[in-house]
Amino acid sequence: MTTASPAPPASNPASWLNNQPYLLLSLSSLFWAGNIVLARHVGAHVPPLTVTTIRWFGVFLILLPFSWPHLKRDWPALRKSLPLMLFLSLVGFAFNNAISYWAMQYTEALNALLIQSAGPLFVALWSLVLFGVRLTGAQLAGIAISLLGVLVIILHGDFAALASISFNRGDIMFASSLVAFGIYSAFIPRRPKVHQLSFLSFTTCCGAMMLLPTAIWEARSGSVLQFDTVTLATLGYILIFPSTLAYLFFNRGVALIGPNRAAPFFHLVPVFGSAMAILLLGEKLQPFHLIGYALVLAGVVIASRQGSAVK
């Protein structure tokens, strides 16, 4: 008599998600889109440097109970790569986020979305300049197609509107945040081989410490955080979704498929942002939305398909 083989163990949803780079990167874009919409809504209500400091200290405290065993184990590797880890804390967390929140007090929504659509190009540029990683033909075509889709959505299908756009200091600030995040993205595959909770806990803590003097300066200048309902709701969303989950998902996605294949997913941010405006703010769905969505999704699929960037 034969013995029935045991049933395979049920799959762990967290383990399954951890190996789905396209879903992880899409969720990161969704959470960041919500963050941009929220930042534009509360930009005049919350001090940007203080909020960013609280953001990263909060993420560090949320992660610490889960990351502590990994931090103890990974500390020798983190210490060995301390200059790189501090640099990633600066460009990926301290400067990038503080300057983007600050910029939203000066720039128009259209300008911010237009500038953000260049995010994949910054990633590709820094990957080439720093490490000689070139875009494949498919990646370049995918970025161009998805960029076209972003412009269709932002400009409502009227490319003549580009001529009427003017840029200000907020636009320059927002662009500098993308330059910094492009550097961060290019370095992610070369980070120390440590657990992602160790990496994120260390960099958020360091980023918050770097920002603390600026938050003190901001408070002494008269911009004091008011802990009212709007502020608490804003902090709640920021801490959980665009900070803790989005960075965990983004770092893992880049580690799985590389920065150049991951970069086109930035173009999903304005797509998700416009969809939120339609669903939550009652804006009307127009034909240009559908055309833009189709172009962005086609570009992302083309650019992120299997195949490494060449050197």
Side-chain angles (χ1 to χ4, degrees):
M1 184 170 112
T2 60
T3 304
S5 52
S11 59
N12 185 332
S15 298
W16 175 84
L17 179 62
N18 198 44
N19 291 289
Q20 305 299 318
Y22 306 130
L23 178 57
L24 291 170
L25 292 167
S26 297
L27 289 172
S28 296
S29 296
L30 174 63
F31 298 153
W32 283 330
N35 189 45
I36 291 175
V37 172
L38 186 62
R40 288 201 294 268
H41 181 66
V42 302
H45 184 80
V46 294
L49 301 177
T50 304
V51 165
T52 311
T53 304
I54 294 174
R55 174 183 185 178
W56 295 128
F57 268 130
V59 172
F60 170 69
L61 293 176
I62 290 172
L63 292 177
L64 188 58
F66 309 99
S67 64
W68 181 247
H70 304 292
L71 279 169
K72 290 194 296 183
R73 185 195 63 205
D74 293 335
W75 175 242
L78 292 170
R79 183 175 56 188
K80 184 178 180 180
S81 300
L82 187 59
L84 174 60
M85 293 297 296
L86 292 176
F87 179 70
L88 292 177
S89 301
L90 174 65
V91 296
F93 296 87
F95 179 82
N96 164 49
N97 287 270
I99 205 71
S100 62
Y101 275 120
W102 200 356
M104 293 310 298
Q105 295 186 351
Y106 304 104
T107 188
E108 299 292 331
L110 177 60
N111 291 27
L113 289 171
L114 279 171
I115 296 167
Q116 189 180 31
S117 66
L121 302 180
F122 286 121
V123 176
L125 174 64
W126 285 117
S127 295
L128 175 63
V129 170
L130 295 173
F131 306 113
V133 178
R134 293 184 285 115
L135 289 170
T136 65
Q139 290 166 351
L140 182 60
I143 289 175
I145 292 170
S146 58
L147 177 58
L148 177 62
V150 168
L151 294 178
V152 168
I153 295 169
I154 294 172
L155 300 176
H156 294 190
D158 180 15
F159 284 86
L162 281 171
S164 63
I165 295 174
S166 60
F167 295 95
N168 57 33
R169 62 172 176 170
D171 304 321
I172 297 174
M173 294 164 65
F174 198 85
S176 68
S177 74
L178 287 176
V179 172
F181 198 75
I183 297 174
Y184 172 83
S185 301
F187 269 98
I188 283 296
R190 291 159 177 81
R191 71 180 190 180
K193 303 300 182 184
V194 297
H195 195 277
Q196 61 176 341
L197 288 178
S198 299
F199 177 81
L200 192 57
S201 294
F202 187 92
T203 48
T204 53
C205 182
C206 290
M209 293 297 294
M210 292 174 182
L211 286 167
L212 185 57
T214 69
I216 295 173
W217 167 82
E218 187 176 57
R220 289 182 173 178
S221 300
S223 297
V224 180
L225 191 67
Q226 303 295 327
F227 285 96
D228 52 22
T229 302
V230 173
T231 300
L232 294 176
T234 299
L235 289 174
Y237 177 82
I238 288 174
L239 287 174
I240 296 172
F241 294 101
S243 303
T244 305
L245 294 180
Y247 271 83
L248 282 172
F249 292 175
F250 178 79
N251 290 344
R252 178 59 178 170
V254 172
L256 289 173
I257 66 174
N260 281 343
R261 289 174 62 198
F265 283 83
F266 284 125
H267 284 159
L268 291 177
V269 174
V271 171
F272 285 134
S274 65
M276 287 179 183
I278 292 169
L279 294 174
L280 302 178
L281 303 179
E283 295 188 7
K284 186 178 179 181
L285 181 65
Q286 302 283 356
F288 64 79
H289 287 119
L290 300 178
I291 295 171
Y293 295 162
L295 287 170
V296 170
L297 293 176
V300 168
V301 169
I302 292 171
S304 60
R305 67 185 183 181
Q306 186 66 36
S308 303
V310 293
K311 284 192 175 183

